Each structure stands twice: as C-alpha cells, then as structure tokens.
Amino acid sequence: MESAAKVMVSTLTNPLRVGLRQERVIPPQCLVIFGASGDLTHRKLVPALFELFVQRRLPSEFAVLGCARRPWSDEEFRQKIEPSLKAAIAAEPEGWQSFSKGLFYEPVDLRKPQDLARLGKRLEQIDRLRATRHNTTFYLSVSPSHYGAGCRALAAAGLLSDPERSRVVIEKPFGTDLASAQELNRLVKTYAQERQIFRIDHYLGKETVQNIMVLRFANTIFEPIWNRNYISSVQITAAETVGVEERAGYYEGSGALRDMVQNHLTQMLAITAMEPPGRFEPETIRNEKAKVLQASRLADIESPWSACVRGQYTRGGSSNRPVTGYREEPGVDPNSTTETYVALKLFIDNWRWQGVPFYLRTGKHLPKRLSEVVLTFRDAPVHLFDAVGGASMANQLVLRIQPDEGANLRFEVKAPGSGMRSRPIEMDFSYDESFGEPSDEGYVRLLADAMLGDPTLFTRNDEVEAAWRLYTPVLDVLEDAPWQLPVHPYEAGTWGPAASDTLLARDDLLWRRP
Ligand code: BG6
C-alpha cells in the first residue's frame, strides 16, 4: 500500500481549541452517584466531572453527592477520590481545590427506606448550600440486580416525582436477555417516565461514533452510495488487548456477547445502518436506530451456530511477558465455557441493506486495541487496468473509532511509470491532526448530556429490547444446546479462532487485519 495521502480539515475559523468547540451550558444541579465507592466512580465518573469542570462547563451551582454503604464522611470521600485524579490535579491544583468543595458523601443503602429519607434531607441541605435548584441526576452505578429496586426506592422517597427536575442514569448491562430487559423496562417505567431514564452506552459518547452520523448526513458524497447497490459487506470490530482483569465475577456470567456485542457493537451497527432522520432531534434519531435494529437478524436464524463463532483465549504472550489463559484467571471456573471472543454474521431486511452481510467481532487479548467500522464497496464491473501485485482491491471506507480516531478511504490510482497499471492508496483523516486535540472520553460527553437532559446518545427502551431480540437465537442455543456453539480456544495475542476466519471465508471474504 502506498503511504497515505493526508487530508487536513480546514479549521476556517479560529484554530484554537476554544474556537473549535461548541459547548452547551449545564444547568445548576446535584449529581448523585450510587456506587460511589466503586471502580467506575473513581476511574471514569469523577475524572469526567473534573474534566467538565476544567473545561468550565459546570455551573458554580453544582454538587456531586457520592452514596454507598460505607460510612465515609465528605472529607474521606474527597480523599478516596484524589488518587484516581492525580495527573489531572497536578495540572489544575487550584481547580481541584474549588471542585472538591462541591463533593459530598452520604452513606445510603438503597434497600433501606430510612436511608432514602435521610438522602432526601441531605439533598435539601446541599440545595440550600450550592443553589442546585432541586435539579437532581441520579446515577445508578450499582449491581444491575439493583436497578429496578433502586428506581423503586427513589420513587418511594418522592425523589423522582418531578420529571422536569429529576433523572436516572442506568449503566449497562440493561438485562441479560430479552425477557429480563422487558421486565426491567416495565419495572422502571412504573416509577419514572421514559424521558427521565438515561440508559448509558459509553460507545455512543465517543466522538468518532457520533461522527458516523455527521459523515453520513452532512455530506452529499456518501449517502447516495451508502446502500446495497454500492456496498458489498460491512465489518464492525471492537478488539481489545486486555483480558478479563479483575472482573471475572461479572464476566463469567456475561461473556463477550452480552458484555460488548448486544450494546456497543450493536449501537455502532445501528448508527452505521440507520436511515437519515428527518430532523436532528433525540426521538427522530432514536426512532431510526430502533427501526434498523428491528429489521436486523442473525444471518441464519434456523441454525444460529452457522452465523456465530465463540472463542476463549488460552495462554500466550512471550517468555518475558507471558499471558494467562482465561480459565487460569483468578475467579474463573477452570472449565469455563464463557466466550471472550465472538464473531457474528447479520443481515438487515430492509430496502437499503437487503443481502449485505454485516460481520461483527469482538475479543479480549487480541493483537491490537482497535474499534472500527469497515465498509467494502462492490468491485468495479469491468477491470480495464492490471493491478500492481495482482487483483485490484475494492474501495473501502474505514471509520476508525479508536485509537487513532479518524477515517480513511481506499481507492485505486495509476501506478507511476509508462504503463497503465493501478494500485491502491489511502486518503486519511485524523482527528488529532485536524483538530489538534484528542477527543473527550465518552463519559465526559454522556454525563454532560444526561445533566442537560439530552437523551440523543442514550438508548431508548425499544432499542434495548430490539438489540436483545437480535441475539435471542444465539442465547437460546446457549441455553438449550450449548454444544452447538462451543468455545474455540485461541492463543492470547492472536486474532481469534480459525473458525471465525471460516465464517468469512465461506463468503470469499477476509477479516481486515490492520
Ligand atoms: C465495557 C466492557 O463496557 O467496555 C469491558 O464491560 C470493555 O469489558 C470496555 O473492556 C471497552 O471499552 P473501550 O472504551 O475501552 O473500548
């Protein structure tokens, strides 16, 4: 492949960071985090809030109230938070002084009504102190089994009674299959209105996932060819280099299908394949996403095992950096059949996509960390030119979600010289080079949107259910005849089991190996 032809995005106006950003101002409020002693709060939520503070996007009338069962004081909570923000605090020590004054803590057990009553009083007090105007966003960063009960407890304490001023953010996983997701939706809707519920999928917070919509719907060159007439296949990949780490307790019961595919990969699929919405409004966008998921199906519903491959990593790495196999990880059953890799083939039965295969894959301990959407275009109907090095390659548009965020387009050009031979080159767009700054962490965007009451990037109840329905044939086989979908071992650090290559080889295709 020739070296990439670089395309710089013209910044036209002020090229400084501030000139490129368009930010909305978050109204006064208190963000209540349940599960404040947990990993997510320390690793993602508070760092994201501090980033919003540093970007001056939080109003001065703002507070964070951490809640968990531990009997910490406000000061202890601040001290516990500090280590996870070390680098950010070092860069903004005064900012931290001022931000941390708005951090509070209240010991709360969501199962105890007296704790909820105390929480109500504490919120009143914080409201007087910080003038948060009774706007409250409750973030449930707790065990998924407590989502329904958590909403019930908040409603019973009268904390969700004003839909204009109170919201609930719910982490994934939302259910473990279609029936449990439906039941959870039913339960949650008993206590709050749909417009108060913000189901978070942090992939939707990634700038590059949102960019798929801008690329498709702000340009005239892509949309006319974004269909079965021009596109022959689509690959969606989320590859990780990490293993299960300390999360065996959760992961053993989940596996890659529930952990990554039902949510993150399916959201990328929905945004890639949806119809253009009439207007850029939360419900019109979510309608289109729900519609395309409702039209999606496993390539072979009758024999799901022919459209799905599961894998599990085994020992790998090098002698100086050995990698433990999944079954030897702490907390994992030595006979575990939980998949750490999954590949699937789907179709979308609508006018735009009929017959175009969509291949999804994700795995842990793969050779590279990367998420991308690859659209391969149909072959030229006639090949007039010989290609250097064999057959000419089909045009390909790669949307790089992470890392190295951007996109590249592959097309054939004339190879230099007196002959008329073609060879492929890539035209490249990089966020970093064009905008000179890395994009925000997904949680920065999503926390801000939840506090703004903007549900565009959150999954609606029907989307969640459609996503579970899509994978129900696979989950049914795993329940009733698991031997039909065995986990194929793959060595840690390789691109997954050979069976996954066979899934594409049957269609004369190869996975992209960047
Ligand atoms: C989480 C999964 O939702 O996403 C993890 O539970 C996974 O298992 C993570 O590692 C990947 O997120 P990202 O943003 O690093 O691709």
Side-chain angles (χ1 to χ4, degrees):
M1 188 87 39
E2 293 262 283
S3 68
K6 296 286 175 200
V7 193
M8 291 295 285
V9 170
S10 150
T11 50
L12 292 180
T13 51
N14 183 353
L16 296 175
R17 173 177 175 162
V18 72
L20 290 173
R21 299 185 77 95
Q22 266 196 331
E23 303 300 10
R24 295 167 290 171
V25 178
I26 294 164
Q29 70 191 286
C30 182
L31 178 75
V32 181
I33 305 177
F34 293 103
S37 56
D39 188 52
L40 187 77
T41 305
H42 293 247
R43 262 187 330 110
K44 300 284 185 189
L45 303 183
V46 181
L49 290 167
F50 189 48
E51 175 62 25
L52 286 170
F53 176 87
V54 170
Q55 289 181 11
R56 304 197 189 294
R57 298 198 45 214
L58 292 180
S60 48
E61 305 91 347
F62 180 75
V64 178
L65 177 61
C67 296
R69 277 180 288 173
R70 299 190 192 185
W72 291 341
S73 65
D74 292 341
E75 200 41 49
E76 275 170 308
F77 179 52
R78 289 170 196 154
Q79 282 165 10
K80 300 276 180 202
I81 289 292
E82 253 188 78
S84 48
L85 283 166
K86 237 183 189 159
I89 295 174
E92 296 279 344
E94 281 163 24
W96 170 249
Q97 285 306 321
S98 140
F99 174 77
S100 63
K101 287 197 186 106
L103 291 180
F104 303 93
Y105 183 86
E106 185 68 29
V108 174
D109 183 337
L110 276 169
R111 292 165 303 186
K112 295 188 180 155
Q114 67 273 28
D115 283 17
L116 269 298
R118 192 162 25 78
L119 171 66
K121 291 207 182 95
R122 188 77 205 268
L123 282 171
E124 291 290 334
Q125 196 190 47
I126 291 174
D127 190 60
R128 283 195 296 276
L129 198 68
R130 306 283 297 185
T132 53
R133 301 200 203 151
H134 292 105
N135 293 324
T136 320
T137 300
F138 298 98
Y139 199 113
L140 294 182
S141 174
V142 294
S143 156
S145 57
H146 294 150
Y147 292 160
C151 291
R152 182 172 52 226
L154 290 172
L159 297 172
L160 296 180
S161 52
D162 185 349
E164 300 296 331
R165 292 180 185 277
S166 56
R167 304 182 188 107
V168 185
V169 182
I170 301 182
E171 260 297 329
K172 77 162 239 283
F174 197 87
T176 54
D177 56 14
L178 178 58
S180 57
Q182 284 172 327
E183 175 55 20
L184 187 53
N185 271 331
R186 194 194 57 73
L187 204 63
V188 164
K189 269 196 279 177
T190 325
Y191 305 115
Q193 296 180 16
E194 178 62 28
R195 66 184 168 130
Q196 291 176 279
I197 306 296
F198 288 68
R199 296 174 197 78
I200 207 162
D201 182 314
H202 80 275
Y203 263 60
L204 290 178
K206 294 184 194 283
E207 198 100 72
T208 38
V209 173
Q210 296 153 34
N211 183 46
I212 300 175
M213 282 191 272
V214 178
L215 194 93
R216 291 189 56 196
F217 306 137
N219 296 297
T220 49
I221 56 170
F222 295 116
E223 201 44 28
I225 54 169
W226 207 269
N227 56 49
R228 63 195 297 271
N229 298 330
Y230 294 92
I231 291 174
S232 62
S233 69
V234 179
Q235 292 183 15
I236 301 179
T237 296
E240 297 187 86
T241 48
V242 292
V244 66
E245 300 183 299
E246 284 87 43
R247 299 165 68 222
Y250 149 76
Y251 199 83
E252 268 285 86
S254 149
L257 185 65
R258 290 185 169 98
D259 184 48
M260 292 290 288
V261 176
Q262 185 273 343
N263 32 70
H264 308 326
L265 275 86
T266 306
Q267 285 299 320
M268 289 199 272
L269 167 84
I271 291 186
T272 305
M274 70 194 249
E275 294 299 314
R279 283 189 299 274
F280 194 78
E281 284 173 3
E283 297 320 319
T284 54
I285 292 164
R286 301 200 297 175
N287 289 345
E288 296 305 338
K289 281 169 62 204
K291 264 160 61 183
V292 79
L293 292 180
Q294 283 151 6
S296 306
R297 66 170 166 88
L298 203 64
D300 191 340
I301 297 176
E302 299 305 317
S303 10
W305 47 89
S306 63
C308 173
V309 173
R310 298 164 70 231
Q312 189 185 68
Y313 64 83
T314 58
R315 227 178 265 188
S318 56
S319 53
N320 41 0
R321 294 198 65 190
V323 176
T324 318
Y326 179 69
R327 291 183 183 180
E328 297 142 356
E329 298 270 22
V332 171
D333 176 352
N335 298 313
S336 172
T337 55
T338 299
E339 79 281 352
T340 60
Y341 178 99
V342 63
L344 292 144
K345 178 179 170 186
L346 307 176
F347 282 121
I348 301 175
D349 289 332
N350 64 13
W351 279 65
R352 185 183 288 265
W353 294 115
Q354 176 61 47
V356 178
F358 281 73
Y359 303 96
L360 272 50
R361 70 173 160 167
T362 183
K364 294 209 180 274
H365 271 315
L366 299 187
K368 272 193 177 171
R369 173 174 185 258
L370 108 153
S371 298
E372 62 178 26
V373 178
V374 182
L375 300 114
T376 303
F377 291 85
R378 294 200 180 281
D379 266 344
V382 178
H383 292 280
L384 292 180
F385 311 106
D386 288 338
V388 173
S392 61
M393 295 170 96
N395 298 150
Q396 212 168 50
L397 177 63
V398 180
L399 309 174
R400 300 194 306 270
I401 307 301
Q402 66 185 23
D404 185 21
E405 289 88 352
N408 53 281
L409 180 64
R410 181 176 79 193
F411 52 85
E412 297 281 315
V413 296
K414 180 184 172 304
S418 59
M420 280 301 278
R421 300 214 289 171
S422 74
R423 65 182 299 167
I425 59 125
E426 285 186 2
M427 200 153 76
D428 192 70
F429 149 64
S430 144
Y431 256 88
D432 213 9
E433 278 181 34
S434 300
F435 297 113
E437 59 168 319
S439 10
D440 285 336
E441 246 280 315
Y443 277 98
V444 174
R445 171 68 194 249
L446 294 177
L447 274 173
D449 281 8
M451 293 189 286
L452 281 157
D454 178 350
T456 315
L457 300 175
F458 294 82
T459 30
R460 207 171 55 190
N461 53 0
D462 51 348
E463 281 182 70
V464 174
E465 291 180 16
W468 279 119
R469 196 171 287 113
L470 182 51
Y471 304 109
T472 297
V474 174
L475 294 173
D476 284 350
V477 172
L478 288 177
E479 183 73 26
D480 304 331
W483 59 89
Q484 301 266 32
L485 275 167
V487 277
H488 299 273
Y490 64 96
E491 193 184 321
T494 64
W495 279 108
S500 154
D501 296 331
T502 313
L503 183 71
L504 268 73
R506 276 192 237 125
D507 299 336
D508 285 331
L509 294 171
L510 293 169
W511 287 111
R512 198 176 106 88
R513 296 259 156 97

